[in-house]
Amino acid sequence: MNGIKFIREKSNFSRNALAERMGVTRQTVTLWERGVRKPDKSHLKWLCDFYGVEEKWFGELSDDDIMILKVMKMYRHYDGEKEYFSFIPEKDGWAEISIPCGELDDLLDERYANVLKKKKNFIQHIENYLECKYNSKYDDKVCLFDKICTAERGMKDIERYLTLMETVQGVGTEGSFLKVPFRYEIKTVLYAMMVASGQYTAEEIKSMYEIDFEEGGLHIDSEYMAKLIELMRNHWTTYKRMCGTHELPGTRNSG
């Protein structure tokens, strides 16, 4: 077993992610992991510094080596929203939760099962939406054609979001670093919509998603969100007047 591959997989990095972080190509990482090439001294030093282990663990590992690594503790860290694990117990003043390297697979299996459960619930939620069960004003169920059109529109919206993410990743020389502030832009708009529509107050949003509003580093700008809320309310008020309605769909007081 190649040490770079073993540690990379345990650390929650894909080949692309590690390559981008190191400033090399994915093909280079692949060649290292296959033993076709070896990292030069500068890359080996980077791996040692980043993961917190000696050079010997990035070569070919024996069964005994793997057994030793499996009982060594790895520590959880965050780079923006990216969660990863290393053998460094403390980074930038944050002491993270530790877990034996050999137990990371079980941890990730459990998380994957939870994700699948959430996915199932999410699909059911979409089905309920398409059937209009959420709104008592609809007595008859929508026809299959309407369901198809609604589902296709939703998929196109998701596809546009992913396309934007790919575009942002390639902007300038910053690379995927721009993904994180881009996510916060999307979150800010969604939170503003939740408040403007009357589903929640701004205080409730900040309480539910407290980590997104923490000071320091990347976070959601409350002033920016407040301006968006005001803009959306004004826009929707104008729209309601044009349509002759009195309530926004999805508000707490709507029927």
Side-chain angles (χ1 to χ4, degrees), residues 47-87:
L47 290 168
C48 293
D49 293 341
F50 182 73
Y51 284 115
V53 290
E54 299 173 354
E55 287 186 12
K56 66 179 183 179
W57 300 112
F58 297 108
E60 289 302 312
L61 302 177
S62 66
D63 291 342
D64 290 340
D65 291 334
I66 292 175
M67 291 301 296
I68 293 173
L69 278 174
K70 282 186 175 181
V71 298
M72 292 171 59
K73 286 189 176 182
M74 296 191 81
Y75 297 81
R76 185 171 65 191
H77 303 289
Y78 290 95
D79 179 13
E81 294 187 349
K82 169 66 178 176
E83 177 189 58
Y84 70 93
F85 294 83
S86 79
F87 296 96

Side-chain angles (χ1 to χ4, degrees), residues 32-196:
W32 290 345
E33 294 185 353
R34 291 179 179 174
V36 178
R37 291 183 186 173
K38 292 184 179 180
D40 59 28
K41 290 184 177 180
S42 62
H43 290 136
L44 270 177
K45 184 179 184 306
W46 188 97
L47 290 168
C48 293
D49 293 341
F50 182 73
Y51 284 115
V53 290
E54 299 173 354
E55 287 186 12
K56 66 179 183 179
W57 300 112
F58 297 108
E60 289 302 312
L61 302 177
S62 66
D63 291 342
D64 290 340
D65 291 334
I66 292 175
M67 291 301 296
I68 293 173
L69 278 174
K70 282 186 175 181
V71 298
M72 292 171 59
K73 286 189 176 182
M74 296 191 81
Y75 297 81
R76 185 171 65 191
H77 303 289
Y78 290 95
D79 179 13
E81 294 187 349
K82 169 66 178 176
E83 177 189 58
Y84 70 93
F85 294 83
S86 79
F87 296 96
I88 301 174
E90 188 173 339
K91 190 174 180 65
D92 299 330
W94 289 94
E96 298 291 354
I97 296 174
S98 65
I99 184 171
C101 178
E103 296 180 13
L104 279 171
D105 288 341
D106 293 335
L107 173 66
L108 296 178
D109 284 343
E110 182 179 352
R111 288 187 183 177
Y112 183 61
N114 290 333
V115 168
L116 291 180
K117 183 178 179 181
K118 289 181 180 179
K119 179 182 177 183
K120 181 179 179 181
N121 293 336
F122 175 68
I123 292 174
Q124 184 60 54
H125 181 73
I126 292 175
E127 183 66 21
N128 291 343
Y129 168 76
L130 294 177
E131 292 285 359
C132 297
K133 295 177 182 177
Y134 67 97
N135 199 320
S136 60
K137 291 190 294 186
Y138 294 91
D139 296 325
D140 299 325
K141 298 198 181 294
V142 294
C143 68
L144 188 58
F145 178 78
D146 289 335
K147 290 172 66 176
I148 292 173
C149 289
T150 304
E152 286 181 341
R153 283 197 298 270
M155 286 188 289
K156 286 180 180 178
D157 288 340
I158 294 174
E159 184 179 3
R160 291 187 188 102
Y161 170 78
L162 294 175
T163 300
L164 278 172
M165 289 291 287
E166 292 173 357
T167 302
V168 169
Q169 182 177 356
V171 173
T173 59
E174 294 86 354
S176 64
F177 170 77
L178 290 176
K179 284 183 177 180
V180 177
F182 180 78
R183 286 195 187 96
Y184 277 106
E185 291 285 340
I186 296 297
K187 282 186 175 183
T188 304
V189 173
L190 290 176
Y191 292 160
M193 291 179 69
M194 291 165 73
V195 175

Side-chain angles (χ1 to χ4, degrees), residues 173-237:
T173 59
E174 294 86 354
S176 64
F177 170 77
L178 290 176
K179 284 183 177 180
V180 177
F182 180 78
R183 286 195 187 96
Y184 277 106
E185 291 285 340
I186 296 297
K187 282 186 175 183
T188 304
V189 173
L190 290 176
Y191 292 160
M193 291 179 69
M194 291 165 73
V195 175
S197 66
Q199 290 183 348
Y200 300 97
T201 65
E203 290 71 24
E204 288 172 335
I205 289 292
K206 291 178 182 179
S207 177
M208 289 188 297
Y209 305 101
E210 185 177 357
I211 192 172
D212 287 335
F213 293 88
E214 291 180 348
E215 294 295 333
L218 289 169
H219 63 277
I220 289 179
D221 187 333
S222 297
E223 292 185 6
Y224 174 41
M225 190 178 82
K227 291 179 181 178
L228 286 178
I229 293 169
E230 182 180 1
L231 179 65
M232 290 175 182
R233 282 175 174 165
N234 292 338
H235 177 70
W236 290 344
T237 298

